[in-house]
């Protein structure tokens, strides 16, 4: 099932301000909140859908990527902006937005009101080089990644400071009277657990470094500098925490003969003078293999041949770009005596006089056509 547009989910326009987006999300979140809709799967789905939309549109970088590439900008990492958040993650990240709508922050034991929180492991970043052919067709890469995992044999116990709640409560005397405040436990970091036992090769958090092979599915049409997210393939977190993510930066390897411009490709084809006069059949490179094209007799240098659909697929799924073949007639720089005499006799021949027709467009007209 195709995902709905994030702006439609929140009921805002594409030009909505940050404040309008936040207000719209709060309205949707309260409307479909689990406490108001117990055992209602449809409401829960809409609650998560609104959180996913807000997670992207409230982040300037993610919003810019979504505006440019749509849902495919996050496709590799799965749901929730590529992060795969569950209900607890939503309350943990956005609980403050609900304010006092549900009794000052208590959210049916989801942890949104400041209870035990799940610690997330750190993210890892790698760079993957892709050829133009891989970008055009999509590819699955198997990459070796060094990441930290929970060391086998590591056990945890309830934090004696917060007694597993992840929070410590303090009472202070102020001019307004005795006030109670809560904050994350500084011993367990809010996780509610601390290490009980760990093997000798584990670090202070009970983690150890390993090398794993990670499979990364890269969709067709990615661009240089784009970042994909593989959920859960970063470093593990101690205890009951969730793993971080693997952030994959795309690096496009320059092609020997093809130049990329958005979804279109350009190819410089050089033909000899006799080929230009008599016509020829030429083999050229494309991202899907070699193809043969026909050069008509009398072709002019600078002519552009458009091979539709032979470019790069759109990352948004809106078809493919074209391959633009630029014909360049190669003028010989050295001639033997016989060849020179031939051309000298042709200097005043009417067939060799330039006679551009209306179909022989100027350079600027060709550029205009190329971008239209």
């Amino acid at each position: 099932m195709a995902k709905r547009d994030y702006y439609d989910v929140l009921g805002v326009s594409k030009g909505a301000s940050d404040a309008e987006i936040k207000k719209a999300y709060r309205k949707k979140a309260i409307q479909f909140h689990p406490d108001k809709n117990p055992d209602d799967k449809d409401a829960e789905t809409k609650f998560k859908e609104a959180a996913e939309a807000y997670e992207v549109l409230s982040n300037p970088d993610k919003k810019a990527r979504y505006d440019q590439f749509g849902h495919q900008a996050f496709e590799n990492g799965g749901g929730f902006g590529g992060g795969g958040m569950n209900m607890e993650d939503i309350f943990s990240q956005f609980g403050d937005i609900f304010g006092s709508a549900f009794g000052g922050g208590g959210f049916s034991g989801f942890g949104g009101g400041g209870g035990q929180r799940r610690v997330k492991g750190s993210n890892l970043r790698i760079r993957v080089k892709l050829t133009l052919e891989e970008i055009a067709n999509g590819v699955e890469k198997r990459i070796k990644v060094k990441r930290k995992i929970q060391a086998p044999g590591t056990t945890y116990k309830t934090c004696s400071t917060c007694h597993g709640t992840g929070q410590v409560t303090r009472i202070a005397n102020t001019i307004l009277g005795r006030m109670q405040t809560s904050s994350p436990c500084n011993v367990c970091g809010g996780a509610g657990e601390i290490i009980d036992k760990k093997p000798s090769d584990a670090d202070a958090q009970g983690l150890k470094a390993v090398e794993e092979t990670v499979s990364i599915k890269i969709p067709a049409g990615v661009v240089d500098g784009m970042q994909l997210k593989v959920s859960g393939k970063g470093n593990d977190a101690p205890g009951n925490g969730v793993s971080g993510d693997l952030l994959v930066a795309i690096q496009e390897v320059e092609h020997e003969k093809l130049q990329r411009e958005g979804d279109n490709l350009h190819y410089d084809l050089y033909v000899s003078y006799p080929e230009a006069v008599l016509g020829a059949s030429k083999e050229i490179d494309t991202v899907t293999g070699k193809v043969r094209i026909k050069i008509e007799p009398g072709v002019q240098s600078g002519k552009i041949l458009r091979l539709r659909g032979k470019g790069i697929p759109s990352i948004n799924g809106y078809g493919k770009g074209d391959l633009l073949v630029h014909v360049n007639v190669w003028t010989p720089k050295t001639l033997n005596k016989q060849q020179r005499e031939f051309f000298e006799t042709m200097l005043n021949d009417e067939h060799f006089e330039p006679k551009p027709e209306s179909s022989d467009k100027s350079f600027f007209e060709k550029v205009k056509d190329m971008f239209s």
Side-chain angles (χ1 to χ4, degrees):
M1 181 177 176
K3 284 189 176 183
R4 291 173 58 199
D5 180 82
Y6 286 150
Y7 292 99
D8 289 343
V9 169
L10 297 184
V12 297
S13 65
K14 196 169 183 178
S17 65
D18 292 343
E20 290 172 329
I21 291 173
K22 184 175 182 178
K23 182 179 179 181
Y25 169 57
R26 185 177 188 275
K27 182 179 178 181
K28 294 287 184 182
I30 291 175
Q31 179 183 355
F32 299 114
H33 194 283
D35 285 357
K36 290 185 66 176
N37 304 273
D39 301 321
D40 187 336
K41 291 296 182 183
D42 184 58
E44 181 180 330
T45 299
K46 291 180 178 178
F47 182 78
K48 291 179 179 179
E49 186 180 47
E52 177 178 338
Y54 181 71
E55 192 255 355
V56 172
L57 299 184
S58 64
N59 182 299
D61 178 59
K62 291 182 179 180
K63 183 176 182 293
R65 287 162 54 200
Y66 176 73
D67 288 344
Q68 185 175 4
F69 303 113
H71 290 298
Q72 291 198 32
F74 313 101
E75 196 173 69
N76 197 71
F80 204 92
M85 279 188 167
N86 55 32
M87 294 290 276
E88 183 174 317
D89 294 319
I90 295 171
F91 287 125
S92 175
Q93 187 164 340
F94 304 130
D96 60 317
I97 291 176
F98 305 128
S100 58
F102 292 89
F107 296 103
S108 301
F110 280 105
Q116 178 180 341
R117 66 186 182 92
R118 297 185 72 185
V119 178
K120 185 175 182 180
S122 58
N123 294 335
L124 294 175
R125 290 172 173 80
I126 62 170
R127 187 178 299 274
V128 174
K129 294 183 179 181
L130 299 178
T131 65
L132 209 51
E133 288 81 2
E134 290 173 328
I135 290 174
N137 299 295
V139 67
E140 183 171 353
K141 290 281 189 178
R142 293 178 63 81
I143 306 295
K144 288 185 178 181
V145 177
K146 289 184 178 180
R147 57 188 297 260
K148 288 185 176 182
I149 64 169
Q150 287 194 24
T154 300
T155 58
Y156 298 85
K157 62 182 180 182
T158 301
C159 176
S160 58
T161 301
C162 66
H163 304 290
T165 65
Q167 298 286 311
V168 290
T169 302
R170 295 179 177 85
I171 298 177
N173 293 316
T174 70
I175 58 174
L176 300 176
R178 290 166 62 83
M179 297 193 69
Q180 178 175 300
T181 61
S182 295
S183 60
C185 176
N186 62 342
V187 176
C188 65
E193 294 181 327
I194 58 174
I195 290 179
D196 180 25
K197 297 177 182 178
K198 65 181 183 69
S200 59
D201 60 347
D203 62 16
Q205 294 182 306
L207 306 176
K208 63 179 294 186
V210 297
E211 186 175 74
E212 287 187 4
T213 299
V214 178
S215 180
I216 305 170
K217 291 184 178 179
I218 300 174
V222 294
V223 297
D224 187 81
M226 179 181 283
Q227 183 171 277
L228 306 177
K229 182 190 289 185
V230 184
S231 300
K233 290 301 181 180
N235 289 323
D236 280 354
N240 65 351
V242 294
S243 299
D245 303 319
L246 177 63
L247 306 179
V248 183
I250 301 299
Q251 181 177 346
E252 183 178 312
V253 178
E254 186 175 346
H255 195 278
E256 184 180 357
K257 296 182 179 179
L258 296 170
Q259 299 258 344
R260 183 180 182 182
E261 181 186 39
D263 294 338
N264 291 330
L265 297 173
H266 297 268
Y267 184 96
D268 277 320
L269 174 64
Y270 288 89
V271 299
S272 68
Y273 197 79
E275 288 175 326
V277 172
L278 302 174
S281 176
K282 302 290 287 186
E283 190 176 70
I284 65 170
D285 290 315
T286 74
V287 287
T288 55
K290 293 184 180 296
V291 299
R292 187 165 289 277
I293 61 173
K294 184 179 180 181
I295 303 297
E296 298 290 341
V299 69
Q300 301 298 316
S301 189
K303 184 175 180 62
I304 299 173
L305 306 176
R306 184 185 293 268
L307 304 186
R308 298 196 179 276
K310 292 294 185 181
I312 302 294
S314 168
I315 190 69
N316 290 317
Y318 302 138
K320 291 184 177 181
D322 302 327
L323 172 57
L324 303 172
V325 181
H326 301 258
V327 178
N328 302 282
V329 178
W330 182 263
T331 304
K333 297 180 180 181
T334 58
L335 298 173
N336 60 32
K337 182 179 179 181
Q338 183 182 5
Q339 292 167 337
R340 178 174 291 277
E341 288 176 350
F342 169 77
F343 283 106
E344 286 175 347
T345 60
M346 295 295 111
L347 278 174
N348 297 316
D349 190 286
E350 62 176 343
H351 294 94
F352 282 81
E353 291 180 10
K355 297 177 182 178
E357 300 175 354
S358 59
S359 59
D360 298 321
K361 297 180 179 180
S362 69
F363 170 78
F364 296 104
E365 288 175 316
K366 292 173 183 175
V367 172
K368 182 179 178 182
D369 287 347
M370 210 166 41
F371 290 99
S372 64

